[in-house]
Amino acid sequence: MKSILFRKVFILSVALIMTSVINAEVLLSKIIGSNMVLQRNQDINVWGWADAREKITVHFNGVTKSVRADRDGKWLI
């Protein structure tokens, strides 16, 4: 009986820890925002901050690019 209770508490604890790890905050540079004007036929850099080593994916104009934040949380696509 105690092992079943222990197992349930352990599984609940792991689930709570994982949800706190999964919930990460990704920030864009303040210069990037709604109604901004982009130069035609030029490469566009998108950058910001996130948790260290977090995977960032950007979808824009039918193109998808991914990168991992560095150990300081900085990223650039």
Side-chain angles (χ1 to χ4, degrees), residues 10-13 19 21 23 35 54-56 63 73 75 77:
F10 178 75
I11 291 171
L12 180 61
S13 299
T19 57
V21 170
N23 187 14
N35 300 317
E54 182 175 355
K55 183 178 180 183
I56 311 298
V63 178
W75 57 271
I77 295 178

Side-chain angles (χ1 to χ4, degrees), residues 28-38 45-47 49:
L28 285 171
S29 172
K30 289 186 180 187
I31 196 169
I32 300 171
S34 297
N35 300 317
M36 64 184 292
V37 178
L38 302 173
N45 290 324
V46 179
W47 67 96
W49 302 266

Side-chain angles (χ1 to χ4, degrees), residues 18-72:
M18 291 303 293
T19 57
S20 67
V21 170
I22 292 172
N23 187 14
E25 185 175 355
V26 176
L27 300 172
L28 285 171
S29 172
K30 289 186 180 187
I31 196 169
I32 300 171
S34 297
N35 300 317
M36 64 184 292
V37 178
L38 302 173
Q39 181 69 41
R40 184 190 309 188
N41 300 324
Q42 297 293 317
D43 290 338
I44 301 168
N45 290 324
V46 179
W47 67 96
W49 302 266
D51 290 338
R53 306 299 300 152
E54 182 175 355
K55 183 178 180 183
I56 311 298
T57 303
V58 174
H59 305 279
F60 178 73
N61 199 28
V63 178
T64 301
K65 299 282 185 172
S66 294
V67 70
R68 285 210 179 270
D70 65 15
R71 66 181 180 185
D72 297 324

